[in-house]
């Protein structure tokens, strides 16, 4: 860790390393979030999420702001890229939950190396499950476009669970019982950074609100073993 970094940044890096997540409030203004809503209105939505938002200039601009932010860039590797942005919306009309899991897929170009790993298609993207050494280098950055409260289905995480590699179902249950789940409450404009291997879940909302999130996946520019990112911003 670089000694010249201010104490806050070093503490943030340390917490991210130990716990696998960190909440950074006040990264984007309410005005920027409202501008994003205008853009999202133009994006045709089907179901709770859309995985292809990095195709839009406004989304690429957000990715660049994230990568260069002084609090966020120290959490990313030396040559970070954003590979994908997914929009998640919970609302009274789309009130959903997900069980505890790790994110183990990345969007890549469907070349020979990807075919060897086994490709699955979603929304026209090719996904593979890469080796754990790659997954350990990834960072998810979630921009919260609404205040995320205990009542609107916050992400729940099992602190430290990212350090155990890919987990079997019995290990997931054991780690949850041992470490418990923390609800990640993030104010509008804040960013939740997490390791995709961190166990995470989310419940249905209990009040009729909206919880809208842009979820960026970042990683190192170069992938090993012939794998090539679908997109690099
Ligand atoms: O946004 C949520 O509540 C769930 C997101 C999730 O499960 C994921 O990104 O894998």
């Amino acid at each position: 860790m670089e000694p010249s970094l201010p104490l806050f940044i070093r503490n943030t890096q340390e917490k991210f390393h130990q716990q696998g997540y960190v909440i950074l409030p006040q990264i984007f203004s309410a005005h920027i979030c409202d501008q994003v809503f205008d853009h999202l209105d133009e994006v045709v939505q089907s179901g709770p999420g859309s995985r292809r938002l990095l195709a839009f200039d406004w989304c690429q601009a957000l990715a660049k702001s994230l990568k260069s932010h002084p609090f966020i860039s120290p959490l990313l590797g030396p040559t970070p890229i954003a590979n994908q942005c997914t929009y998640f919306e919970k609302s009274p009309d789309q009130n959903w939950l997900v069980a505890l899991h790790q994110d183990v897929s990345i969007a890549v170009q469907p070349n020979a190396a990807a075919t060897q790993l086994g490709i699955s298609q979603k929304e026209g993207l090719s996904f593979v499950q890469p080796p754990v050494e790659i997954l350990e280098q990834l960072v998810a950055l979630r921009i919260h476009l609404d205040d995320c409260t205990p009542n609107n289905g916050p992400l729940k995480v099992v602190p430290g669970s990212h350090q155990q590699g890919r987990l079997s179902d019995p290990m997931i249950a054991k780690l949850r019982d041992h470490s418990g789940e923390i609800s990640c409450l993030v104010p509008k404009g804040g960013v939740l950074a997490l390791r995709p291997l961190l166990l995470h879940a989310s419940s249905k909302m209990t009040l009729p609100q909206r919880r809208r999130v842009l979820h960026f996946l970042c990683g190192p520019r170069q992938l090993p073993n012939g794998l090539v990112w679908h997109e690099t911003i």
Side-chain angles (χ1 to χ4, degrees):
M1 243 162 252
E2 293 181 38
S4 60
L5 288 173
L7 187 60
F8 170 78
I9 292 179
R10 274 190 282 139
N11 288 343
T12 303
Q13 281 180 313
E14 184 60 23
K15 181 172 180 209
F16 189 61
H17 179 67
Q18 299 287 341
Q19 308 282 304
Y21 76 101
V22 71
I23 294 169
L24 298 162
Q26 294 180 339
I27 299 295
F28 294 97
S29 65
H31 177 66
I32 296 274
C33 294
D34 294 342
Q35 282 182 338
V36 172
F37 293 142
D38 292 342
H39 293 305
L40 287 171
D41 282 344
E42 294 162 15
V43 177
V44 179
Q45 292 298 322
S46 58
S50 169
R51 296 180 173 82
R52 306 204 58 156
L53 296 191
L54 265 188
F56 297 96
D57 289 349
W58 59 266
C59 192
Q60 295 180 9
L62 285 173
K64 288 175 188 163
S65 304
L66 285 168
K67 284 195 313 176
S68 61
H69 192 283
F71 295 169
I72 294 174
S73 65
L75 305 178
L76 308 175
T79 54
I81 55 93
N83 169 55
Q84 208 200 334
C85 175
T86 305
Y87 175 56
F88 289 110
E89 172 167 351
K90 285 189 197 181
S91 66
D93 290 340
Q94 295 184 141
N95 198 0
W96 43 274
L97 59 82
V98 279
L100 214 47
H101 67 283
Q102 300 175 297
D103 289 342
V104 294
S105 297
I106 57 173
V108 292
Q109 292 182 19
N111 62 12
T115 305
Q116 272 196 332
L117 288 175
I119 295 176
S120 60
Q121 299 280 341
K122 282 181 196 158
E123 292 186 19
L125 295 176
S126 300
F127 287 88
V128 294
Q129 297 191 2
V132 74
E133 297 75 32
I134 294 180
L135 296 173
E136 282 169 348
Q137 296 178 57
L138 307 183
V139 178
L141 299 171
R142 291 168 59 94
I143 305 178
H144 279 263
L145 302 170
D146 299 294
D147 285 332
C148 184
T149 73
N151 303 317
N152 63 6
L155 209 68
K156 293 181 288 185
V157 300
V158 177
S161 53
H162 64 300
Q163 293 181 345
Q164 313 280 335
R166 286 193 63 167
L167 297 166
S168 61
D169 286 346
M171 272 300 285
I172 290 176
K174 196 170 160 188
L175 279 172
R176 183 200 47 219
D177 293 348
H178 177 263
S179 303
E181 291 177 345
I182 304 279
S183 290
C184 296
L185 308 182
V186 188
K188 176 171 179 164
V191 170
L192 167 62
L194 75 152
R195 291 285 186 194
L197 284 177
L198 187 75
L199 284 170
H200 57 283
S202 73
S203 310
K204 290 191 177 193
M205 55 173 55
T206 53
L207 287 181
Q209 300 174 344
R210 292 176 97 178
R211 195 225 63 181
R212 290 164 289 186
V213 172
L214 288 175
H215 180 121
F216 292 81
L217 183 65
C218 299
R221 180 165 292 278
Q222 299 297 334
L223 288 172
N225 306 334
L227 288 172
V228 181
W229 290 111
H230 157 71
E231 192 160 26
T232 53
I233 300 299

